[in-house]
Amino acid sequence: GRKSPRWKSHSFSVFISNQMNVIPAEVSLVCVVKPDEFWDKKVTHFCFWKEKDRLGFEVILVSANKLTRYIEPCQLTDEFGGSLQYDHMDWVNKRLVFEKFTKESTSLLDELAVINENEKASQPDKASRPSDSNALPSFDPETVLQTGHELLSELQQRRFNGSEGGGGGGGTAWSPMDDELLAQPQVMKLLDSLREQYTKYQEVCRQRSKRSQLEEIQTKVMQVVNWLEGPGTEQLRTQWGIGDSIRASQALLLKHEEIESQHSEWFAVYVELNQQMAALLSAGDDEDLLELKALQQQLSDVCYRQASQLEFRQNVLQSAHDFHGTAQDLSQQLDGLLGMLCADVAPADGAAIQQTLKHLEEKLKSVEGALQSLREKGQVLLEQISNQSSWFYGKDMQIENKENIDHIHSIMEDMQLRKQRCEDMVDVRRLKMLQMVQLFKCEEDASQAVEWLGELLDALLKTHIRLGDDSQEAKVLLEKHRKFVDVAQSTYDYGRQLLQATVVLCQSLRCTTRSSGDTLPRLNRVWKQFTVTADERQHRLDMASTFHTAADRVCMPKKQENLCVFCMALLPVGKHRSDKLK
């Protein structure tokens, strides 16, 4: 197959007919340039003149070297023998950019106008805002504006610097085409419209962002409020006890610390939200201030109320812990004091007894101080529990508080009774110790009486030997002897009384007497020796007094025999008796 010239002419006519839609109406002549090889084939049967009326312009077939007959050389490019500087690929690229910008900017303007109008229409009634109110444009406005500014800059550069331009043609200078000159105002108009709509859209976005931020804040606020008024309050509502011991109160404190730890996470969210709301309030619109302030107030009220309840519960538990700690310490002190009072004591002397009594007084004073501290801490705890019933989460706390109050009173009464029993036992022990002091004192004084009686006996034997030189002196010695014996008798009686007192004290103390086996026999032995010696002394002094009285009456020697008899009676029996008699 070779195709006939008639078929070629028909095909070309169809091609020309298809270009009618893109050829402007001002065109009156279309020159179809034929390559030189085309003329060599001598196929010249093209009847374009028949189509002139239908096409609206004349079509001629012309060779390249004859094109200047119809078109000025200054309007032809170099390949057609003209001087027009033109880069078709560069023009095509710029035309594509222009068409793309025109299409995108036009579409973007329509979308922005719709978005801005919808936003404006939905402002009065925020509750009925449609679900698509946050619709976004199909194109990025920043990118489209950037493309438009670059295109406008290029067009302006081609217009004012015709000798500089183009990129696709290897940097060859050329003049802008008419369509490029016409595109510049169109681009400028589109850019102005875009900037105007984009400014409005930016305000819409700002409003959307603020609205979204408000909705997010409101959601978080309600999350915090719902948790604090729900699970948070329920946690505190179930924790009303104070424990029945220091260990139980310590466990409640640990549980409360866990509850506080959970609350602290929500309080941290509250702090963050409060800062965000404060920032919005400082830069917010008037219509949003009331709603935001109400939201902030609601959040603050709930958080502060919950924090106050946590702090109050912490104080109650801490007071309960201190109360039970003091009660435990007092109980241990009472146990120690009771053990000390129940143990048998056998002090060695009065100093040990005084030390024991001092120790008892110190312990009793310490117990009294601990009991007073327990009363004060119990009173503080009772006041806190009473105040708790007035606001405790809307719950009737009378039953629970009655249990706690009864428990506190029970502990204080029990400690008071135990302390009273210990005081009674201390009184008994004090009396016993005083009796033991008296016992030791009686034993010591009884021993002293024995020593004194022994000293009197020694004095009687060693110093009381004179009988007097006359009747007068004998009478004086006799009187002194009677007084001396009276002193010894008093000492003996004092010792006997002391020993009898020791017997009574030992019976009272239920202990074996320690005096009857030693001191009493010594006392009786010394006293017996003293009475024998005193009687002998008394007898001799009586005889001496009688002798001196008789001697005074005897005036004559005939009485010497009777005198010698008296002398014999007065002198003690011994080997020197005869010498003394002489």
Side-chain angles (χ1 to χ4, degrees), residues 339-582:
M340 182 179 177
L341 293 171
C342 292
D344 292 332
V345 293
D349 51 22
I353 292 176
Q354 293 297 332
Q355 184 65 28
T356 302
L357 288 175
K358 182 180 179 181
H359 193 196
L360 281 175
E361 293 296 335
E362 290 176 351
K363 279 189 169 294
L364 194 60
K365 186 177 181 181
S366 177
V367 166
E368 180 63 33
L371 182 60
Q372 181 61 29
S373 177
L374 182 67
R375 293 194 190 102
E376 294 174 355
K377 293 179 179 179
Q379 187 60 35
V380 171
L381 185 56
L382 287 172
E383 292 177 357
Q384 289 177 332
I385 292 176
S386 300
N387 294 333
Q388 175 179 340
S389 61
S390 62
W391 55 264
F392 196 78
Y393 320 117
K395 181 181 179 182
D396 186 6
M397 295 296 297
Q398 292 183 357
I399 299 178
E400 290 81 357
N401 281 340
K402 186 176 184 303
E403 294 180 4
N404 294 331
I405 291 173
D406 291 344
H407 172 68
I408 295 171
H409 284 305
S410 174
I411 289 180
M412 291 194 294
E413 291 173 0
D414 179 62
M415 293 300 170
Q416 177 64 37
L417 292 175
R418 291 177 61 185
K419 185 248 184 185
Q420 186 62 47
R421 288 195 296 268
C422 287
E423 283 183 340
D424 295 340
M425 294 183 69
V426 167
D427 292 339
V428 174
R429 176 57 61 87
R430 187 185 294 113
L431 178 60
K432 184 177 181 179
M433 292 291 103
L434 292 177
Q435 289 178 340
M436 294 189 72
V437 170
Q438 292 177 354
L439 175 61
F440 287 140
K441 183 64 176 174
C442 289
E443 290 181 346
E444 183 180 352
D445 291 347
S447 298
Q448 185 66 44
V450 173
E451 292 179 4
W452 288 344
L453 196 58
E455 292 174 358
L456 291 174
L457 177 60
D458 290 341
L460 182 62
L461 292 174
K462 296 179 181 179
T463 61
H464 293 206
I465 57 176
R466 293 184 71 254
L467 296 177
D469 295 336
D470 52 29
S471 60
Q472 187 66 29
E473 186 179 1
K475 291 180 180 179
V476 172
L477 290 175
L478 185 60
E479 184 64 27
K480 289 183 177 180
H481 177 70
R482 290 193 185 99
K483 292 181 179 179
F484 188 77
V485 172
D486 291 339
V487 172
Q489 182 67 47
S490 299
T491 303
Y492 173 71
D493 293 340
Y494 176 66
R496 289 282 297 182
Q497 293 173 359
L498 290 174
L499 291 175
Q500 289 175 359
T502 59
V503 173
V504 175
L505 289 172
C506 286
Q507 290 176 352
S508 176
L509 294 171
R510 298 179 181 178
C511 62
T512 304
T513 177
R514 308 185 305 179
S515 306
S516 59
D518 182 17
T519 308
L520 184 59
R522 287 194 302 115
L523 179 64
N524 291 331
R525 185 170 59 252
V526 173
W527 176 245
K528 183 177 181 180
Q529 294 175 358
F530 183 85
T531 55
V532 172
T533 305
D535 288 343
E536 291 180 355
R537 173 70 173 166
Q538 178 72 31
H539 181 67
R540 286 196 296 273
L541 287 175
D542 289 340
M543 293 299 292
S545 178
T546 303
F547 168 74
H548 288 299
T549 302
D552 291 339
R553 293 175 183 176
V554 175
C555 298
M556 296 171 55
K558 64 179 181 178
K559 299 294 182 178
Q560 291 182 354
E561 182 177 356
N562 293 331
L563 183 60
C564 290
V565 173
F566 280 109
C567 291
M568 290 295 290
L570 292 173
L571 292 175
V573 179
K575 61 180 180 178
H576 302 295
R577 182 176 181 179
S578 59
D579 296 336
K580 292 183 179 179
L581 183 59
K582 292 178 180 179

Side-chain angles (χ1 to χ4, degrees), residues 18-69:
N18 292 336
Q19 299 302 317
M20 286 179 60
N21 298 327
V22 298
I23 296 176
E26 294 80 3
V27 175
S28 59
L29 176 62
V30 174
C31 297
V32 179
V33 180
K34 300 183 297 179
D36 293 337
E37 293 79 2
F38 182 83
W39 298 107
D40 294 340
K41 296 178 181 179
K42 297 180 180 180
V43 180
T44 58
H45 184 70
F46 293 100
C47 300
F48 296 131
W49 58 272
K50 295 180 179 181
E51 302 292 336
K52 181 177 180 180
D53 294 336
R54 185 177 65 84
L55 295 177
F57 52 84
E58 182 180 358
V59 180
I60 62 174
L61 196 64
V62 63
S63 61
N65 55 2
K66 295 181 180 179
L67 193 59
T68 55
R69 295 180 182 178

